[in-house]
Amino acid sequence: MIIVLIGYMASGKSTIGKKLADKLNYGFIDLDHFIESKENLSVREIFKTKGEIYFRKQEALNLTSILQSNDKIVLSLGGGTPCFGNNMEHILNTQNVKSIYLKNSISSLVKKLYKKKTKRPLISHIETKEAMTEFVAKHLFERVQFYNQSEIHIDTDGKSKKKIVEEVILKLF
Ligand code: S3P
């Protein structure tokens, strides 16, 4: 089975994904890191030198190839992955794939994103917390229609990582 973690930037996809994979004894792939190691460039550098369209193409191609695997994998997507091309459709229509949406409130996302904005090209230019809140609210509003298609939804606000992992496992099996 491939367990796909979906959610906005800073929703905990990579951290929870790693912990979940350890607990289940599954392999772990972070799609951003997978692309970074293939390209030998960070996501920020790919956006800067090759552009977002190139990144989205690589994202879709690598997602498709990983979804073909028969291995037991936890796959953490980038925040935008389900929202481009037919990536979400593809995730939902591939057998043996379970999609999980890690749902955070806007205020908890902004709190985390504001501290770690430099490596994220879509938000690195935003200067104040107020502007970040406005951006995230609008952006999430556009994206939530894709995230909401996930088979399993987990509210993560105020929960420890351990509790989130337990909840995911409980809903999966
Ligand atoms: C993006 C999210 C990032 C990364 C890229 C674009 C997005 O991943 O894929 O910067 O469109 O939301 P994280 O969700 O891991 O930050």
Side-chain angles (χ1 to χ4, degrees):
M1 172 158 71
I2 302 182
I3 302 167
V4 180
L5 294 187
I6 288 171
Y8 199 70
M9 290 178 266
S11 58
K13 301 178 297 287
S14 304
T15 326
I16 300 297
K18 245 180 260 157
K19 287 189 185 296
L20 180 66
D22 282 350
K23 185 115 191 179
L24 295 174
N25 219 0
Y26 273 38
F28 174 69
I29 299 176
D30 179 296
L31 187 58
D32 281 342
H33 293 165
F34 194 80
I35 297 169
E36 285 178 331
S37 63
K38 275 199 158 176
E39 294 283 319
N40 217 3
L41 289 171
S42 68
V43 169
R44 199 166 62 98
E45 287 164 338
I46 300 172
F47 267 68
K48 203 170 150 207
T49 60
K50 302 188 170 181
E52 180 173 354
I53 294 174
Y54 177 84
F55 175 78
R56 298 300 175 194
K57 236 183 209 165
Q58 296 315 308
E59 199 176 33
L61 286 173
N62 286 293
L63 172 69
T64 304
S65 87
I66 296 166
L67 288 180
Q68 280 164 0
S69 166
N70 288 320
D71 295 340
K72 294 175 171 179
I73 297 169
V74 175
L75 171 65
S76 294
L77 301 183
T81 320
C83 319
F84 286 85
N86 37 24
N87 293 345
M88 193 64 203
E89 219 179 302
H90 201 160
I91 291 163
L92 294 172
N93 293 334
T94 308
Q95 278 203 341
N96 260 330
V97 171
K98 278 276 177 197
S99 49
I100 299 174
Y101 172 25
L102 298 180
K103 204 169 163 185
N104 293 237
S105 65
I106 292 170
S107 61
S108 86
L109 290 171
V110 170
K111 216 162 138 191
K112 290 186 269 180
L113 282 171
Y114 199 64
K115 281 189 248 162
K116 298 192 242 162
K117 60 175 190 164
T118 44
K119 72 176 185 110
R120 293 186 163 97
L122 294 179
I123 55 164
S124 54
H125 63 285
I126 300 176
E127 304 218 329
T128 65
K129 236 180 188 172
E130 291 67 37
M132 181 79 81
T133 305
E134 200 183 320
F135 177 88
V136 172
K138 280 190 193 151
H139 205 203
L140 191 59
F141 180 74
E142 290 164 10
R143 287 182 165 189
V144 82
Q145 54 175 314
F146 296 97
Y147 300 156
N148 274 339
Q149 294 174 41
S150 309
E151 292 153 281
I152 296 171
H153 295 200
I154 308 269
D155 275 309
T156 62
D157 271 13
K159 293 178 188 161
S160 67
K161 294 183 181 83
K162 188 165 175 260
K163 172 91 177 69
I164 298 167
V165 170
E166 279 167 10
E167 232 178 271
V168 171
I169 292 175
L170 212 69
K171 291 207 175 176
L172 269 174
F173 300 101

